[in-house]
Amino acid sequence: TAQSAAAGTPQGTVKLSLTNNGTVTEPLNSSGVATFTFSNLLGGSYNVNAAYEGYGTLGTAPDFAVSAATGYTFIVASATPSISITTNYQYSPATYVLFGGSNTITATVSSAVGVPTGTVAFMNGSNLADPSQPPTTLNGLGVATFNTSNLPLGTYTLTAVYSGDQNYMPETITIATFQIIRPSVLITANPATLALTPGVAGSVTLTLQGLVGFGGDRAAVALFCTTA
């Protein structure tokens, strides 16, 4: 007959099985405690079963019978990654991007507890920004790259959407707004408007700035006035 707990502290070993991690055996310490340590567990739900293998020969004190504990479950929660965006827009200001130019937007998905896997989709609203560039699989450094060369003329506020994986939560970041334009010039006036009194001269300062490829020896701008 097995002795009760009052008869002493159990000795011997405990076997513990954990989902997808096999079975591990550890000895009980002087307090009757067996400690199991697992590292690098993937995200998800785990079932734990423990079996005490008993100690001694029945009828000889101290003597403890076999026992088991089953049905315990715990969850390893997915980590929240961070996403950073870098660009290699070739002109300044960077809010303007040359139509047909090979400019890239790079998304880096990172975490303090490892390197995320999965994909990043570059989206324009609810659609892929460029259907010819499907969600990109992260490389070994957590990096995915998008090229703007196929984007038509227009203004874009894209998002980089990370899919998540077994260990990391999905995440989305908004990319700074930019415009796809042809080579052109930006003209700003100071003041923006001017009301003149007949017979009285006035002046406006015009500042011209070449944008995305406008410039060089052949660049020319013609200024003229029109009447209402």
Side-chain angles (χ1 to χ4, degrees), residues 5 8 30 41 52 68 78 83 85 96 100 106 117-118 137-138 149 167 188 190 197 202-204 208 218 222 224 227:
S30 59
L41 292 179
Y52 172 57
S78 298
I83 306 179
I85 297 293
Y96 298 100
T106 299
T117 61
T137 300
L138 295 174
S149 59
N167 294 319
T188 57
N190 184 26
T197 300
S203 65
V204 174
L208 285 69
R218 297 184 180 181
F224 55 91
T227 58

Side-chain angles (χ1 to χ4, degrees), residues 133-161:
Q133 299 181 68
T136 302
T137 300
L138 295 174
N139 66 16
L141 299 176
V143 173
T145 300
F146 175 83
N147 196 299
T148 66
S149 59
N150 292 332
L151 296 181
L153 298 172
T155 301
Y156 295 88
T157 303
L158 305 183
T159 55
V161 181

Side-chain angles (χ1 to χ4, degrees), residues 4-218:
S4 67
T9 301
Q11 302 175 57
T13 58
V14 173
K15 284 187 176 180
L16 184 142
S17 62
L18 182 65
T19 304
N20 297 325
N21 283 268
T23 300
V24 181
T25 301
E26 291 289 345
L28 294 170
N29 64 16
S30 59
S31 299
V33 176
T35 300
F36 298 83
T37 301
F38 295 89
S39 60
N40 299 320
L41 292 179
L42 299 177
S45 178
Y46 291 84
N47 294 320
V48 180
N49 297 311
Y52 172 57
E53 299 185 304
Y55 184 81
T57 302
L58 291 180
T60 303
D63 191 17
F64 300 92
V66 172
S67 63
T70 61
Y72 178 72
T73 300
F74 68 91
I75 295 175
V76 176
S78 298
T80 299
S82 62
I83 306 179
S84 60
I85 297 293
T86 57
T87 63
N88 79 331
Y89 302 155
Q90 299 172 359
Y91 300 96
S92 178
T95 50
Y96 298 100
V97 176
L98 179 63
F99 173 65
S102 182
N103 298 276
T104 58
I105 301 171
T106 299
T108 302
V109 185
S110 59
S111 172
V113 291
V115 179
T117 61
T119 63
V120 171
F122 293 87
M123 306 294 292
N124 186 16
S126 59
N127 300 313
L128 286 171
D130 177 5
S132 71
Q133 299 181 68
T136 302
T137 300
L138 295 174
N139 66 16
L141 299 176
V143 173
T145 300
F146 175 83
N147 196 299
T148 66
S149 59
N150 292 332
L151 296 181
L153 298 172
T155 301
Y156 295 88
T157 303
L158 305 183
T159 55
V161 181
Y162 170 56
S163 65
D165 63 14
Q166 187 172 5
N167 294 319
Y168 300 94
M169 298 288 291
E171 194 72 11
T172 297
I173 189 172
T174 300
I175 300 167
T177 299
F178 61 92
Q179 297 180 57
I180 301 290
I181 63 173
R182 300 185 190 279
S184 56
V185 62
L186 176 66
I187 303 175
T188 57
N190 184 26
T193 61
L194 180 65
L196 294 176
T197 300
V200 179
S203 65
V204 174
T205 300
L206 300 179
T207 301
L208 285 69
Q209 179 182 4
L211 301 177
V212 295
F214 184 91
D217 294 339
R218 297 184 180 181

